[in-house]
Structures are given as structure tokens and as C-alpha cells.
Amino acid sequence: MYSINRNVVYREVDDRIVLINLDSGYYYSLNEVGRLIFRCIVDKKDIDNIIDKILNEYEITREKARNDIDSFLSELTKENILKEE
Amino acid sequence: MLLRDYFRVNNFLFEIKTDDKKAIDAIRSWLDEDIIKLHILKNNPVEQIINIRILSNFSLDDIPSTPEVSPEATFENISFYPGDGITIIKIDDTIIRIDYQSSSAYCYVSPEHIDSPWVISHRIFFLPALELLRESESFYLHAGCVFNGDSGILICGGSGQGKSTLTYALARSGFSYMSDDAVFLRANGRRTGMFSFPEKLKLDSSSCSFFSEFKDLKGIRGKKELSIGETKIEDVVIDGEPEFIIFPEISDNGSSDVYPIPDAEAMLLLIRQSVSLVGNERIGEHLDILKTLCEESQSYRLIVGNNFDDVARLIEGISSKSPA
């Protein structure tokens, strides 16, 4: 399970999420897919739930979805936006 | 003995007390008296008095000690130490203590800074002013602003991206002028309101070279501060509502163009020119106001070419249409 670092603030704008990491001062914009995954993290969904959500929206294989989600989450973890619990 | 000075900005009354007249002279020479008069004439009710005390004669015992921790943020030679209800700002040997509860700041100014009008106005006065205005829910945006009728057009970009030049070019071609560098955003019911900060217009040598009235200033070092009376600006607005946000970029080939950009891209660009990462308590509100601003305005990237008449026509074209 992942959760959002408490020093991250974010707002949804259009179909994106704009977020700021107050620890680093860096800010980011997540695209539509990123927003879908990020919302799942906010709702405390586990990886399998996130994969199901993605498969409902996009025509890709489960394996490809898992790989893409894993790499996205590890990128956000590296940026201290998420932490793994 | 302390000298006092006062000036009004929108709903705020600034009270400056100092033991050195140079501090008042520096701040007054940075402000535009004509724009301050408009703020007085508007006669908005005073909602908050912001006290800024600038002291150059003090004993070392008076100075609050800098916390024995790393600063939370540093910018150029400025360090910020946010604490519980206060922030300490250290600029070289100058120490500023901001107390949010009482809307006041004590600035203990080092001898090297008291003789520098630029440091006094832009750092020792303006930094605590920004912090205290934010506490009163007025959020700084590093942007110029002109109006086409009632439609506010924010011109947003970093230093050196041509904000002042473009703002002045538009203002002398008939748009109403608000500011070339600093506006404050405020929730105004369900919309975003904004008001000017009454700084003088600032143009550097290369900006001056575009305008015949400033041809004598070509070759000046640094920036020349100009009051409205010294320019070709005919109309000044001190508050209103933004409807358009322009992000200027200097053209590679001399020609001008304008195209819309999505709200999320605009918001990222605004954050860069707006959000202070110090004293994070109000950051949520700050983001909310930027989000509302992006959603209720139309945002454009403006490629600024050589001919300011063309640029003015492009801005006239987009700002004459009603926002969707």
C-alpha cells in the first residue's frame, strides 16, 4: 500500500493533478492516467484495485498495466511524493 | 525617536516606524505616489493595519536569535526560519522577525543595508509585507497587469521575460495600467479579485530602447524606476477581476503569435511565480486561489515579436472576446 507524503499538496485542474512537494519545493503535473492512479492512492486502494481501474479504462494487458503502475509509483516514491507502507 | 509613515493599499494600512529617515525615503522613492493616491481615493474600509518597524540603532540584545537549525528555505542570501506564529528572516546580518498574530514585523537592519534603498524597499520592507498580506488572505503574484475595459489581463513570467516591457507597451497603446510586477489575488465572493501594489514601473536599458519617450535612458545601468506621471500611461486601475492570463515568451524570429494553453499548464506556470514555500499553513488556500484563477480565466502563451503594435492587436483580439 502507498500513501501520500503529508508535505505534498495537490489540486485537480482540468483532467490533471497539479502537486507540490513542500519538502523539496518541486511541483508536478500528472496526466489523466496519473490522475486516475493518484486518486486510487488517495482512496487507499491497493495495487490490484488500481490495475482493475486501469483495465476498465484502457485496453492494455494486465501485465503491462502492472509494470506501468509499478514504475509510476516507484517514480513518485523516489520523488518523496508517495511512501510505501 | 521613531519616525512614522503611512500608506494605504486596498484594504490595508501600512504603518512604518523607523529610527532612520533613509528607510522611509527608500520606500517612498520605490512607491508611486499617484497610485497610492488612487488607493486613498477609493477609500476601502481598513481591514488590517500592517506594522513594519525598521530599526538601525539597536543593541545586540534586542535582536531575536536565529534558531539553531537549518533554515527551512533559502533564496539568494535570504534564509527563512518559520516558527510557531512567527517567521525569522535573515539577510546577511539583517534580522527580520514577523509576528503574524499582531500583523507586525521588526526589522533590525545592518549598517550595510540601511544605505541601500533597493535592499530596504525590496527585501526589508517587501518580504515581511508579502508574508503579512498572505496571512490576510491576499496572495502575491509576480505579474504585470493591464485592463481592456473591465477585463483584467495578467502578464505573468519570471524576471527578464519581458513583463515590464510588455505591460508598458500595452498600457501606452491604450490599455489601462495596473502594475508591471506585483499584484495580489484575493477571493472575492466566488470570483478572484486582485489589487495592485503601488510600485513604480521599472524599465531597463533594453526596454527603454523600444520607446521613443525613454530614448534618453538608453544605456542606463540597472533599472530605472518611473512614476506614472513620467510615462505615456493615461489610465490606471487599482483593483478588478482577472479574465485573461498571458505568459510571454520572446520570439525567435521577430514575429508575434498567441495561442491558448490548458488550465493545468497555466497553473504550473503561476505556481512558479507565486507560491512561497515558507510558512506552509496557507499553501492550500494559495493553491485554491490559483486554481480558481485558472478555471475562470483564459490562459495564453504569447510569443512577443519586435513590433508592439502587432502584440497589442493580438491582446486586443483575445481580450475583446468574452471568456467561455
Side-chain angles (χ1 to χ4, degrees), chain A residues 13, chain B residues 141-146 151-157 163 166 170 183 185 191-192 194 241-248 258-271 273 289-302 315 318-319 323:
Chain A
V13 185
Chain B
L141 180 64
H142 186 203
C145 186
V146 292
S151 300
I153 304 163
L154 284 165
I155 298 161
C156 193
K163 274 193 315 297
L166 177 60
L170 294 172
V183 296
L185 305 170
R191 284 192 58 86
T192 305
M194 60 181 174
E241 290 179 349
E243 287 194 10
F244 302 92
I245 313 170
I246 304 290
F247 297 96
V258 66
Y259 54 90
I261 59 170
D263 291 349
E265 185 181 337
M267 180 140 167
L268 279 180
L269 293 166
L270 286 175
I271 287 172
Q273 299 306 328
I289 207 156
L290 295 182
K291 174 177 150 80
T292 308
L293 172 63
C294 292
E295 288 173 344
E296 67 194 10
S297 309
Q298 291 180 353
S299 301
Y300 294 88
R301 178 80 69 178
L302 174 71
I315 302 295
I318 58 171
S319 60

Side-chain angles (χ1 to χ4, degrees), chain B residues 65-105:
Chain B
S65 55
T66 310
E68 298 278 324
V69 292
S70 303
E72 184 174 303
T74 53
F75 165 70
E76 295 174 354
N77 57 340
I78 309 168
S79 302
F80 295 87
Y81 301 85
D84 188 15
I86 61 151
T87 289
I88 305 262
I89 302 176
K90 190 168 183 289
I91 311 168
D92 302 324
D93 291 331
T94 288
I95 303 283
I96 302 171
R97 183 185 194 278
I98 300 170
D99 182 334
Y100 297 101
Q101 186 87 42
S102 63
S103 275
S104 59

Side-chain angles (χ1 to χ4, degrees), chain B residues 215-232:
Chain B
K215 63 179 189 302
D216 293 345
L217 297 175
K218 208 174 149 187
I220 53 163
R221 290 180 64 190
K223 288 187 175 180
K224 171 75 176 167
E225 294 183 334
L226 295 153
S227 58
I228 295 303
E230 298 173 276
T231 70
K232 286 197 166 179

Side-chain angles (χ1 to χ4, degrees), chain A residues 7 9 22-23, chain B residues 72 82 134 276-284:
Chain A
N7 272 344
V9 285
L22 299 176
D23 289 332
Chain B
E72 184 174 303
R134 185 178 57 179
S276 157
L277 298 174
V278 181
N280 296 329
E281 294 79 10
R282 294 218 171 256
I283 197 141

Side-chain angles (χ1 to χ4, degrees), chain B residues 12-303:
Chain B
F12 302 95
L13 177 67
F14 282 89
E15 180 188 59
I16 301 163
K17 292 181 190 166
T18 181
D19 56 12
D20 196 319
K21 189 171 175 299
K22 285 193 285 259
I24 285 178
D25 291 345
I27 294 165
R28 280 288 174 181
S29 72
W30 166 61
L31 297 172
D32 190 314
E33 293 298 331
D34 290 334
I35 302 180
I36 288 176
K37 274 183 205 151
L38 294 174
H39 280 274
I40 295 168
L41 288 171
K42 189 91 179 184
N43 204 22
N44 282 323
V46 173
E47 175 186 316
Q48 189 81 50
I49 299 172
I50 294 179
N51 300 283
I52 299 191
R53 221 174 252 229
I54 300 176
L55 303 169
S56 64
N57 293 303
F58 47 85
S59 92
L60 290 176
D61 295 338
D62 296 333
I63 307 176
S65 55
T66 310
E68 298 278 324
V69 292
S70 303
E72 184 174 303
T74 53
F75 165 70
E76 295 174 354
N77 57 340
I78 309 168
S79 302
F80 295 87
Y81 301 85
D84 188 15
I86 61 151
T87 289
I88 305 262
I89 302 176
K90 190 168 183 289
I91 311 168
D92 302 324
D93 291 331
T94 288
I95 303 283
I96 302 171
R97 183 185 194 278
I98 300 170
D99 182 334
Y100 297 101
Q101 186 87 42
S102 63
S103 275
S104 59
Y106 279 74
C107 313
Y108 301 92
V109 185
S110 70
E112 58 171 320
H113 286 162
I114 198 72
D115 289 320
S116 167
W118 189 87
V119 176
I120 292 286
S121 55
H122 289 73
R123 297 279 184 258
I124 290 160
F125 171 77
F126 200 45
L127 278 179
L130 290 183
E131 285 287 305
L132 293 167
L133 283 168
R134 185 178 57 179
E135 199 60 15
S136 296
E137 296 166 8
S138 297
F139 297 98
Y140 168 70
L141 180 64
H142 186 203
C145 186
V146 292
F147 275 72
N148 185 6
D150 290 334
S151 300
I153 304 163
L154 284 165
I155 298 161
C156 193
S159 299
Q161 286 185 297
K163 274 193 315 297
S164 294
T165 315
L166 177 60
T167 304
Y168 181 61
L170 294 172
R172 78 196 282 278
S173 74
F175 290 77
S176 304
Y177 174 84
M178 179 181 256
S179 173
D180 73 321
D181 197 53
V183 296
F184 285 85
L185 305 170
R186 261 202 131 175
N188 182 11
R190 293 177 62 189
R191 284 192 58 86
T192 305
M194 60 181 174
F195 59 88
S196 67
F197 195 82
E199 286 179 67
K200 283 179 182 162
L201 173 77
K202 294 160 293 300
L203 294 176
D204 63 16
S205 173
S206 70
S207 300
C208 288
S209 67
F210 289 111
F211 309 113
S212 56
E213 61 273 33
F214 300 136
K215 63 179 189 302
D216 293 345
L217 297 175
K218 208 174 149 187
I220 53 163
R221 290 180 64 190
K223 288 187 175 180
K224 171 75 176 167
E225 294 183 334
L226 295 153
S227 58
I228 295 303
E230 298 173 276
T231 70
K232 286 197 166 179
I233 293 171
E234 289 184 359
D235 188 40
V236 177
V237 172
I238 57 165
D239 58 16
E241 290 179 349
E243 287 194 10
F244 302 92
I245 313 170
I246 304 290
F247 297 96
E249 201 174 277
I250 295 167
S251 171
D252 288 338
N253 58 15
S255 63
S256 301
D257 197 4
V258 66
Y259 54 90
I261 59 170
D263 291 349
E265 185 181 337
M267 180 140 167
L268 279 180
L269 293 166
L270 286 175
I271 287 172
R272 195 175 297 169
Q273 299 306 328
S274 175
V275 171
S276 157
L277 298 174
V278 181
N280 296 329
E281 294 79 10
R282 294 218 171 256
I283 197 141
E285 289 164 77
H286 203 153
L287 286 186
D288 284 337
I289 207 156
L290 295 182
K291 174 177 150 80
T292 308
L293 172 63
C294 292
E295 288 173 344
E296 67 194 10
S297 309
Q298 291 180 353
S299 301
Y300 294 88
R301 178 80 69 178
L302 174 71
I303 310 299

